């Protein structure tokens, strides 16, 4: 299977993509899945989702704030201590920050987003590199956003921080390739799951319209005419983590049903 016998770390476990990544890793016969999030309850929920899906994959849960470099190092060290290696890191942790336009946003909000989305992600990445270099192999996948492709002024700080991460990936891919370490990005758009469902429900109530009408407005902008399921988006990220993508590094994979079509 896709991740057979691999040890996979997932940062940023939450009710949407994070949990779906965890379940898919177990489905793809990983040797172990290591779960990281700031909130321990989210780690418990992810483990329960894996068990409810019928998988007995070993799970290591490590409460981790990736903005804290020591916590990142502890996560990497505990993974090696328990399982002897690190084959893949899925950097899914993020901070959206405040909603606001580029001209009116607080730079403190932008710095907070940068601390997690760029610097925190880089700290988590650097923490796993000594083990991956020792193995002469490894795969790192960054979960990025379509907001870096199609400007949305209300997500300006978030998008700018993720845009910086996009550039960092190009440098990492070139830097780490000689060690057999691949670094790639997925650019997610709308993803059908708990967070997006909650958004549509609240917007429908605020506007006094049906949720279905709002969903249809978005779906009509997507060539596949549907909002992609978060579990299906997870599969794209895990493809890049797997040996099926063993000659792919520095790639920018759009995972949004064709909502953004690069020229």
């Amino acid at each position: 299977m896709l991740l057979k016998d691999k040890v996979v770390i997932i940062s940023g476990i939450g009710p949407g993509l994070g949990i779906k990544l965890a379940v898919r890793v177990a489905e793809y016969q990983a040797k172990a899945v290591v779960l990281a999030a700031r909130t321990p309850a989210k780690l418990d929920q992810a483990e329960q989702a894996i068990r409810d899906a019928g998988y007995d994959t070993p799970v290591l849960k490590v409460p981790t704030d990736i903005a804290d470099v020591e916590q990142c190092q502890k996560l990497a060290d505990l993974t090696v201590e328990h399982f002897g290696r690190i084959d893949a890191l899925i950097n899914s942790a993020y901070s959206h920050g405040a909603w606001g336009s580029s001209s009116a946003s607080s730079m403190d909000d932008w710095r907070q987003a940068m601390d997690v989305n760029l610097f925190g992600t880089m700290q988590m990445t650097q923490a796993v590199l000594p083990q991956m270099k020792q193995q002469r192999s490894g795969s790192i996948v960054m979960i990025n956003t379509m907001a870096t492709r199609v400007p949305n002024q209300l997500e300006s700080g978030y998008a700018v921080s993720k845009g910086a991460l996009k550039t960092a990936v190009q440098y990492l891919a070139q830097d780490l390739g000689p060690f057999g370490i691949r670094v790639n990005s997925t650019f997610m758009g709308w993803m059908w799951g708990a967070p997006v469902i909650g958004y549509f429900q609240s917007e429908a109530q605020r506007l006094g319209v049906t949720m279905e009408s709002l969903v249809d407005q978005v779906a009509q902008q997507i060539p596949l005419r549907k909002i992609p399921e978060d579990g299906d988006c997870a599969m794209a990220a895990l493809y890049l983590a797997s040996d099926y993508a063993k000659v792919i590094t520095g790639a920018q994979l759009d995972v949004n049903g064709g909502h953004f079509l690069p020229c």
Side-chain angles (χ1 to χ4, degrees), residues 97-119:
W99 296 79
S101 68
S102 54
S103 61
S105 292
S106 162
M107 291 299 97
D108 286 340
D109 289 334
W110 280 33
R111 289 186 185 94
Q112 182 181 12
M114 282 283 188
D115 279 344
V116 176
N117 300 335
L118 176 62
F119 299 120

Side-chain angles (χ1 to χ4, degrees), residues 164-223:
L165 180 62
K166 176 175 69 173
T167 299
V169 167
Q170 308 305 113
Y171 280 81
L172 286 167
Q174 186 181 58
D175 185 18
L176 299 173
F179 298 96
I181 302 169
R182 300 180 296 104
V183 190
N184 294 290
S185 298
T186 59
F187 291 79
M188 306 299 189
W190 289 95
M191 288 188 292
W192 192 255
V196 165
I197 291 170
Y199 165 78
F200 278 119
Q201 288 173 336
S202 64
E203 279 296 282
Q205 184 175 11
R206 182 178 72 85
L207 297 171
V209 299
T210 66
M211 177 175 161
E212 290 74 15
S213 68
L214 295 179
V215 172
D216 186 62
Q217 287 177 24
V218 173
Q220 290 305 310
Q221 302 170 38
I222 301 173

Side-chain angles (χ1 to χ4, degrees), residues 1-247:
M1 291 293 287
L2 205 62
L3 297 170
K4 185 172 176 56
D5 298 330
K6 293 190 181 298
V7 176
V8 181
I9 298 175
I10 305 169
S11 75
I13 294 297
L17 181 65
I19 285 181
K20 297 301 174 61
L21 284 165
V23 174
R24 291 290 191 190
V25 167
E27 177 186 349
Y28 296 154
Q29 298 184 359
K31 176 181 178 181
V33 57
V34 181
L35 307 176
R38 287 179 297 179
T39 307
K42 292 180 179 179
L43 304 181
D44 295 337
Q45 290 168 6
E47 182 180 26
Q48 189 60 51
I50 291 170
R51 302 302 176 227
D52 289 345
Y55 304 114
D56 60 1
T57 308
V59 172
L60 175 63
K61 298 177 293 184
V62 185
T64 306
D65 180 353
I66 65 168
D68 185 324
V69 67
E70 293 183 356
Q71 292 186 39
C72 292
Q73 191 59 57
K74 178 183 177 182
L75 173 61
D77 290 345
L78 284 173
T79 301
V80 175
E81 179 182 326
H82 279 76
F83 305 115
R85 59 186 298 111
I86 301 172
D87 295 296
L89 166 65
I90 313 297
N91 278 310
S92 185
Y94 73 97
S95 171
H96 191 282
W99 296 79
S101 68
S102 54
S103 61
S105 292
S106 162
M107 291 299 97
D108 286 340
D109 289 334
W110 280 33
R111 289 186 185 94
Q112 182 181 12
M114 282 283 188
D115 279 344
V116 176
N117 300 335
L118 176 62
F119 299 120
T121 299
M122 284 299 300
Q123 287 174 170
M124 191 64 252
T125 297
Q126 289 180 337
V128 305
L129 289 181
Q131 179 62 34
M132 287 186 174
K133 286 181 176 180
Q134 180 180 323
Q135 297 165 187
R136 306 292 295 186
S137 68
S139 178
I140 299 166
V141 180
M142 311 297 191
I143 305 300
N144 212 302
T145 173
M146 195 177 74
T148 65
R149 311 291 218 192
V150 181
N152 174 0
Q153 283 296 336
L154 293 180
E155 294 186 293
S156 59
Y158 172 63
V160 168
S161 67
K162 287 289 197 173
L165 180 62
K166 176 175 69 173
T167 299
V169 167
Q170 308 305 113
Y171 280 81
L172 286 167
Q174 186 181 58
D175 185 18
L176 299 173
F179 298 96
I181 302 169
R182 300 180 296 104
V183 190
N184 294 290
S185 298
T186 59
F187 291 79
M188 306 299 189
W190 289 95
M191 288 188 292
W192 192 255
V196 165
I197 291 170
Y199 165 78
F200 278 119
Q201 288 173 336
S202 64
E203 279 296 282
Q205 184 175 11
R206 182 178 72 85
L207 297 171
V209 299
T210 66
M211 177 175 161
E212 290 74 15
S213 68
L214 295 179
V215 172
D216 186 62
Q217 287 177 24
V218 173
Q220 290 305 310
Q221 302 170 38
I222 301 173
L224 292 181
R225 295 298 187 267
K226 62 177 292 186
I227 295 176
E229 298 281 345
D230 52 9
D232 293 338
C233 294
M235 289 193 291
L238 297 178
Y239 158 73
L240 289 175
S242 78
D243 288 343
Y244 286 89
K246 67 192 304 181
V247 295

